[in-house]
Amino acid sequence: TARLYNMTDDPGVKEMLKFNLARDTVHQKQWLRAIEELQADGLETDIAPSALLDEEDQTHNNTIWHLSDGPDGNKGAWSTGEDRIEYLMDPKPLGGPGSAPKPDPELYATYSPTQDAMGTVKGKAQSAVNKLT
C-alpha cells in the first residue's frame, strides 16, 4: 500500500490508500494485542501459534522473498545467527500461467469476445486496429 501511495498523484487514489494504510496499522495493533492476550492466558508462548506447524508448507516457513526496490532487504538482524531467516534475493514464481476459463460474455459488460484472455485484440477488431495504425 505504501509503495502504491508513492507511485500515484491521483488525489482520490491517495485518499483510498491512506485509509488502507490506517487499516493495516490497526490490524497490526490487533495482532499484537491478541498475541499478548494468548501469552497472558498461557495458551501460547511463541508469537507464531504452533497448532498447525505440522500442516504448514515447510518449504516456505523460513524464507523471505526480496521484493524491495533496494539491495539492503537482507540486512536485518533476523538474517543472521543460528535462527536466521533465509532471504531469497531472486525468488521465482510458484506456479505456472493462469488457466482460468474465459468469462461468460453476458456476465460482464467489459468482456469482449474480440479479445483473448490476455486482452489482445483479435479477429475483425484486429483488422480495424491494423487499418487505423
Side-chain angles (χ1 to χ4, degrees):
T1 301
R3 286 186 191 173
L4 291 174
Y5 182 87
N6 289 312
M7 291 171 65
T8 186
D9 58 0
D10 182 292
V13 172
K14 281 194 174 274
E15 284 301 311
M16 184 234 1
L17 293 172
K18 287 183 349 185
F19 175 82
N20 289 348
L21 286 167
R23 300 310 304 153
D24 287 346
T25 298
V26 76
H27 290 137
Q28 290 174 24
K29 290 177 182 178
Q30 285 179 309
W31 280 111
L32 289 172
R33 294 225 175 113
I35 290 166
E36 290 169 357
E37 186 177 337
L38 288 170
Q39 290 174 335
D41 291 346
L43 298 174
E44 287 289 340
T45 55
D46 297 324
I47 290 176
S50 57
L52 294 174
L53 287 180
D54 292 340
E55 300 296 327
E56 73 181 19
D57 185 333
Q58 300 294 310
T59 307
H60 305 288
N61 71 354
N62 199 46
T63 58
I64 300 281
W65 287 23
H66 173 75
L67 301 172
S68 302
D69 293 332
D72 295 332
N74 63 344
K75 301 281 196 270
W78 51 266
S79 66
T80 61
E82 187 176 317
D83 292 331
R84 74 180 191 84
I85 296 173
E86 182 182 2
Y87 192 82
L88 302 176
M89 283 300 288
D90 189 25
K92 303 293 183 235
L94 303 173
S99 60
K102 291 182 181 180
D104 181 342
E106 294 182 17
L107 293 178
Y108 300 99
T110 57
Y111 173 73
S112 169
T114 61
Q115 297 179 354
D116 65 17
M118 298 299 289
T120 306
V121 178
K122 64 180 185 177
K124 291 181 182 179
Q126 179 63 54
S127 298
V129 169
N130 291 342
K131 287 178 186 177
L132 294 173
T133 54

